[in-house]
Amino acid sequence: MKTALLEKIREAAAEWARAHNIETTLIEAKYSGVGSSVHVFVVARRGFENWWWSERDRSLFRFLHAKVNGADEFIISSLNTMTEEEYEKYEGVEV
Amino acid sequence: MALKLILQDATTLHEAYLERKAEYEALRAAERWSGAVLHAGTLLELAFKLAISKHLGVTNLPAIFQVHDLDLLYYCCGQYSRFKSDKLLQENFSIVHKRWSMALRYEGATKTQRDAEDFDQALFDSAHGVITFLSQYF
């Protein structure tokens, strides 16, 4: 089931956050609407401030692919980890 | 009903790609990191459109491809299954996807050398860079 997969991704992202002592305020996993692409989004109140964005993005990407069964059945086409400050600054900015 | 096509043909798009690539390299050499990041995303968009033209075997793309929607371009480029099976390629695409948008053109010098290097690696890494990969198809 598609919703079950999204729930697994959310749970795995939460597990990744706990393993890195990250205090999250938002964990989102949703289908992009194009193919089997999934967008994953994590916002943290604490824990990202001293961790460079591409390193934490890549860490989460690899964790999700290792953790979620059926990883070959979907594509994570967008993955983003943000501090609350980045979230307030950038989220919702569209052209 | 006639199908609306993008005015620029594939040859013109390829010329545009080469021009933007030269500008991208000049911006990096001049340490204009925000401009380099903006151009990096533009190059990815052009690379996808060139790959789609080749995949469809057309000289002018339908106007529905006149978009900045990387998800759509990614899905239609003819290499979706390859992205699915190559996790490093997928990872490189995923980290650029959300961090780049045309909205960057409204920003000042917000990007650092490290940001620009991350984009460059994701797109031009010799083994798994997204544009390195797509360039086989245009």
Side-chain angles (χ1 to χ4, degrees), chain B residues 108-136:
Chain B
T110 57
K111 301 298 179 197
T112 65
Q113 180 173 4
R114 195 168 176 192
D115 291 311
E117 294 301 339
D118 282 328
F119 271 75
D120 193 69
Q121 186 197 345
L123 297 179
F124 295 107
D125 174 74
S126 60
H128 297 279
V130 181
I131 294 180
T132 305
F133 168 71
L134 288 172
S135 63
Q136 302 168 75

Side-chain angles (χ1 to χ4, degrees), chain A residues 39 52-53 62 77 80-81, chain B residues 71 91 98-99 115 118:
Chain A
H39 290 183
W52 185 249
W53 66 266
R62 290 170 193 187
S77 67
N80 202 4
T81 59
Chain B
D71 262 319
E91 179 180 318
K98 183 71 180 181
R99 299 277 173 179
D115 291 311
D118 282 328

Side-chain angles (χ1 to χ4, degrees), chain A residues 34-37 39 52-55 58 62 65 72 75-81 90-91 93 95, chain B residues 71 74-75 80 84 87-88 90-95 97-99 102-103 105 107 112 114-115 118:
Chain A
V34 180
S36 55
S37 297
H39 290 183
W52 185 249
W53 66 266
S54 66
E55 291 173 359
R58 288 184 187 278
R62 290 170 193 187
H65 269 291
D72 291 338
I75 280 185
I76 298 174
S77 67
S78 172
L79 185 147
N80 202 4
T81 59
Y90 292 110
E91 194 51 20
V93 174
V95 181
Chain B
D71 262 319
Y74 178 67
Y75 186 68
Y80 194 67
K84 234 176 181 173
K87 296 294 181 282
L88 283 172
Q90 193 185 130
E91 179 180 318
N92 281 331
F93 177 74
S94 76
I95 72 161
H97 181 288
K98 183 71 180 181
R99 299 277 173 179
M102 288 301 287
R105 68 189 187 272
E107 291 190 6
T112 65
R114 195 168 176 192
D115 291 311
D118 282 328

Side-chain angles (χ1 to χ4, degrees), chain B residues 55-95:
Chain B
H55 177 62
L56 296 177
V58 297
T59 52
N60 293 71
L61 283 174
I64 54 162
F65 289 110
Q66 206 157 27
V67 294
H68 307 301
D69 183 345
L70 293 179
D71 262 319
L72 175 70
L73 299 174
Y74 178 67
Y75 186 68
C76 296
C77 74
Q79 304 304 325
Y80 194 67
S81 59
R82 180 67 190 277
F83 276 97
K84 234 176 181 173
S85 62
D86 185 338
K87 296 294 181 282
L88 283 172
L89 190 60
Q90 193 185 130
E91 179 180 318
N92 281 331
F93 177 74
S94 76
I95 72 161

Side-chain angles (χ1 to χ4, degrees), chain A residues 1-72:
Chain A
M1 288 244 324
K2 284 189 156 189
T3 51
L5 174 64
L6 295 180
E7 190 51 39
K8 277 185 195 170
I9 293 172
R10 274 192 290 269
E11 284 170 7
E15 185 183 338
W16 171 84
R18 283 194 300 274
H20 291 281
N21 292 318
I22 292 156
E23 186 185 343
T24 59
T25 49
L26 177 67
I27 298 178
E28 195 175 87
K30 62 182 183 184
Y31 284 99
S32 71
V34 180
S36 55
S37 297
V38 172
H39 290 183
V40 180
F41 189 40
V42 177
V43 180
R45 178 169 297 131
R46 188 183 52 77
F48 284 167
E49 58 278 8
N50 295 316
W51 195 3
W52 185 249
W53 66 266
S54 66
E55 291 173 359
R56 60 192 199 230
D57 280 9
R58 288 184 187 278
S59 169
L60 177 57
F61 182 96
R62 290 170 193 187
F63 185 87
L64 293 178
H65 269 291
K67 195 78 187 175
V68 179
N69 292 331
D72 291 338

